[in-house]
């Protein structure tokens, strides 16, 4: 049990190379899918076992908004569909 407590203390989002991950709510999902004229499964996938996905407790079927810093574009937003392992 001590290992699990230490494991939870580490926040991967404090590392400068890990971008911000956000689980979209139902309304946001509808807006994104309508904007790009796609279905959720057509988005690039991210596994539920990914450390960032586990940290934000996203589940298969969720759509994530990932916000990355870019030296040329300033900020880049990408979307990922969470799948089971």
């Amino acid at each position: 049990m001590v290992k699990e407590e230490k494991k939870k203390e580490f926040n991967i989002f404090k590392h400068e190379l890990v971008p911000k991950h956000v689980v979209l709510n139902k309304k946001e999902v509808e807006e994104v899918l309508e904007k790009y004229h796609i279905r959720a499964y057509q988005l690039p996938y991210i596994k539920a076992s990914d450390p960032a996905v586990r940290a934000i407790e996203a589940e298969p079927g969720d759509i994530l908004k990932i916000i990355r810093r870019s030296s040329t574009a300033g900020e880049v937003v990408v979307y990922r569909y969470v799948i089971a392992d």
Side-chain angles (χ1 to χ4, degrees), residues 46-50 53-54 60 82-85:
I46 187 167
K47 289 187 175 184
S49 62
D50 184 282
V53 175
R54 291 173 66 191
V82 180
I83 60 168
D85 296 328

Side-chain angles (χ1 to χ4, degrees), residues 12-50:
I12 63 169
F13 295 109
K14 289 186 178 181
H15 193 282
E16 65 184 48
L17 296 178
V18 179
K20 182 177 180 182
H21 290 60
V22 178
V23 178
L24 298 182
N25 64 37
K26 202 169 193 175
K27 182 180 178 189
E28 293 169 326
V29 167
E30 290 174 8
E31 290 173 359
V32 168
L33 298 179
E34 188 176 317
K35 177 180 178 181
Y36 294 109
H37 305 287
I38 58 172
R39 301 221 170 134
Y41 66 85
Q42 293 175 305
L43 289 166
Y45 297 153
I46 187 167
K47 289 187 175 184
S49 62
D50 184 282

Side-chain angles (χ1 to χ4, degrees), residues 56-69:
I56 62 172
E57 299 178 354
E59 298 178 3
D62 287 342
I63 295 180
L64 303 184
K65 177 181 182 180
I66 302 172
I67 305 161
R68 297 183 178 134
R69 285 180 285 143

